Amino acid sequence: MTNRILIKDLHQHIGEEVEIAGWVDVRRDHGKLIFIDLRDASGKVQMVALPSNEEAHKIAGNLRPEWVIRVDGIVNARPEKMIKANQLNGELEIEIKEIEILSEAKELPFDKDTELNLDTYLDYLPLTLRTKRSSDIFKVQATILEAYRESLRKQGFTEFQSPALVGGDAEGGSAVFSVDYYYDKKAFLATSPQFYKQIMVGAFERPFTIAKVFRAEKSATTRHISEITQMDFEMGFIKNHLEPMAILEQAVKDSVEAVASNHPNIFKEFNTEKPLLPKHFPILTLLEAQEILEKEFGIKAIGELDMEPEHERQICEWAKKNKDSDFVFITHFPTDKRAFYTYADPTNPKLSLSFDLLFRGLEINSGSQRIHNYDELVEKIKSRGMDPKKFSYYLQIFKYGMPPHGGSSTGLERFTARMLELSNIKEATSFPRDMNRIDNLLSK
Amino acid sequence: MTNRILIKDLHQHIGEEVEIAGWVDVRRDHGKLIFIDLRDASGKVQMVALPSNEEAHKIAGNLRPEWVIRVDGIVNARPEKMIKANQLNGELEIEIKEIEILSEAKELPFDKDTELNLDTYLDYLPLTLRTKRSSDIFKVQATILEAYRESLRKQGFTEFQSPALVGGDAEGGSAVFSVDYYYDKKAFLATSPQFYKQIMVGAFERPFTIAKVFRAEKSATTRHISEITQMDFEMGFIKNHLEPMAILEQAVKDSVEAVASNHPNIFKEFNTEKPLLPKHFPILTLLEAQEILEKEFGIKAIGELDMEPEHERQICEWAKKNKDSDFVFITHFPTDKRAFYTYADPTNPKLSLSFDLLFRGLEINSGSQRIHNYDELVEKIKSRGMDPKKFSYYLQIFKYGMPPHGGSSTGLERFTARMLELSNIKEATSFPRDMNRIDNLLSK
């Protein structure tokens, strides 16, 4: 349809005859006039079928929601008093000349304006993804993803493809899905691109990857999904964890700015505001955060090895109030509680040069400096009760010379969910998988 | 290392003292002078340790390949007769002031300049990915990927995340991997993002995705891998298959141009040339291609339902010679031989509005217009002996109004391999998986 005009561009064609196409959003019969709101991916417009155009009027009278049509019509300016300000195409209306039906639709399972519970929303995703709210969420997600990548490229990073199929559950920790591979062998789904991005430091120094990772955790919270899109980077030749933190901070800021500039009304539409970005994100050690929790909120958390979700929310509240920031870094988690490759703080080896980034109450990123010395890493693997032989492929990078390095990992769905203050991460996941659902409920 | 200079930028610092860091590529002892070639991800430079600097000279004498070091040194211009033209840093040399060893390396398992067989190369990927050849291949791949995405964005497409975990092997056809999901249920790895990109037409009209797909084919050819990166798009409101073909042609051309401009010497280094891009890619129906095969190559292929790999090579040879093109589209494959959702040519329903794109002898892309009518699609599913109930989630998009649409799917690894004329697709895959290997050989 080479002459088709997108609905968002109609205001440039007032007085002209145009071809548009889309889905019937709603039909309203007002006496002899039939009004049709037509929707394409760029927006909506009101059209009117006049009784004088008998053929078009007859077709218009049969249209139902979600029928797909192509329309020839005149773009008429509305009279002054009919103009709807602050609404796309509020100043114009299409007078229908001709309608071609491209596709009919069966009766919808529910009224489109009904507020659906999450399970119904997910059961009907092929239909509900067409709502403005859903398509807005995923347009914002596309913007975040591209801005994040663009920021990393500008900071000297190169993208690579990290595999989803791996040979073993090497890292331990997260629950892992197993796959029936060839010849009765088992393979596994990656829980992280960690080892591969460390390997790629040898090729690019600064690799990044957008990787699918898989967690077989039996969690049915608003924060967990089984298939996650991770935005991971790693960088060689660092002095300490502050260098990847600075890269991350820039990428996060660039992503927020891109959402704000590409989607001007989005924060208002989602009843939130543009996230607060201070000149520098506040940085607290875990102990400092716990001291604030005690002093400001009366919570006895000092000495705990990680932060409770509720405490993450409170420390974010504190940062927003005291540091004008919707983001806060927590560093120096206990070395024993982080992944085996985490680099210990030389001044206090019980704590590690690790960090989490919290955003509006939720951890969206985790990172650290990594151990780069071969013998030290082998010892660490043994001390965790694991077998270095199972890591022989990965350990090659250290055996053959690895610079000091570190990196971080951001969950795209969590980042998106907090950007728009969505209450459930599944709303920020185009096709969420969890213990109960892959497209359809598994119990069905 | 905030003051570190990348090796590619040293020419801007002649006469200055600089900090550089990287891997020892090679050490050469020439009498009392010790020469070290230092490599970072941006390039190489020759350094010299003079006996007059006793400490640095002593350290330099102990360095071995792949040790990681940080160096303070003076950037000296070379005397005229020592200049190596057409070589990065051929006009300069670093006089070492101070060396800090960041990481030692064990003895390498083979000499770095040895030409390795593919299995040894893959066994030692964490080391062999550091070679210039490998890092060049994956830098080119990153360029292709970003140029392809950028071209689609410019053409009105929006990115989304297609899932890797799916509930069934709905499409039939390719061999599928099964996954142990929760509660003894089975899930599967996606063989294509096809259904999901069709669903996303409802949200974006023009969705695209960079998706991992998985094929459990028992093929050990130079063209097959088990985990593939697919660059897929789909578009609504098309007239026919020529529209997605035009989008694809532009994205492919933009990718080729990006490689040529971002990597000026790359085609020469890989003993090939920039792919020939005519004003319009030649388009042949399968029958026309078979007639050419008969006329030009004496091959009796007319009436065959698909093209043999050897015939794909020959038709590409013909297109290069006669159409000045390294690309050629083949269209109108038999409807019965394509996926069930492929749209039949209204003028001859035995043939479909489908296409493959061949590049230098290999199919790198496949696409078509799709069926958009619900009843027709249900009938087609039945006629292939499949159960429409198993497709109920997917079928919602057609039940509730779907425009005419089509799209295509490009294999990133195949595209990269043909761009640089690599003989095996595994060389264009950072971490290739096949029936014999996930990182390590499975028989080990």
Side-chain angles (χ1 to χ4, degrees), chain A residues 130 162 180 196 212 400 439, chain B residues 130 162 196 212 400 439:
Chain A
R130 296 182 190 173
S162 194
D180 298 320
Y196 298 97
K212 285 291 173 69
Y400 303 123
D439 298 339
Chain B
R130 296 181 189 173
S162 193
Y196 298 96
K212 285 291 172 68
Y400 302 125
D439 298 340

Side-chain angles (χ1 to χ4, degrees), chain A residues 18-22 38 47 63 69-73 94-100:
Chain A
V18 296
E19 178 184 355
I20 58 178
L38 189 71
M47 309 191 297
L63 294 177
I69 58 175
R70 196 190 59 71
V71 173
D72 288 324
I94 302 288
E95 182 192 327
I96 297 172
K97 303 300 284 182
E98 199 181 302
I99 301 175
E100 180 190 356

Side-chain angles (χ1 to χ4, degrees), chain A residues 202, chain B residues 7 22-28 35-40 43-47 63-69 108 110-113 127 130-132:
Chain B
I7 287 174
W23 285 264
V24 172
D25 207 58
V26 67
R27 192 192 82 210
R28 289 180 300 273
F35 292 95
I36 308 281
D37 286 351
L38 189 71
R39 180 188 84 236
D40 70 14
K44 289 183 200 175
V45 65
Q46 176 170 289
M47 311 191 298
L63 295 177
R64 298 283 180 283
E66 297 307 303
W67 285 31
V68 182
I69 58 176
L108 301 190
F110 37 75
D111 189 80
K112 285 200 298 173
D113 297 326
L127 177 60
R130 296 181 189 173
T131 57
K132 181 165 174 9

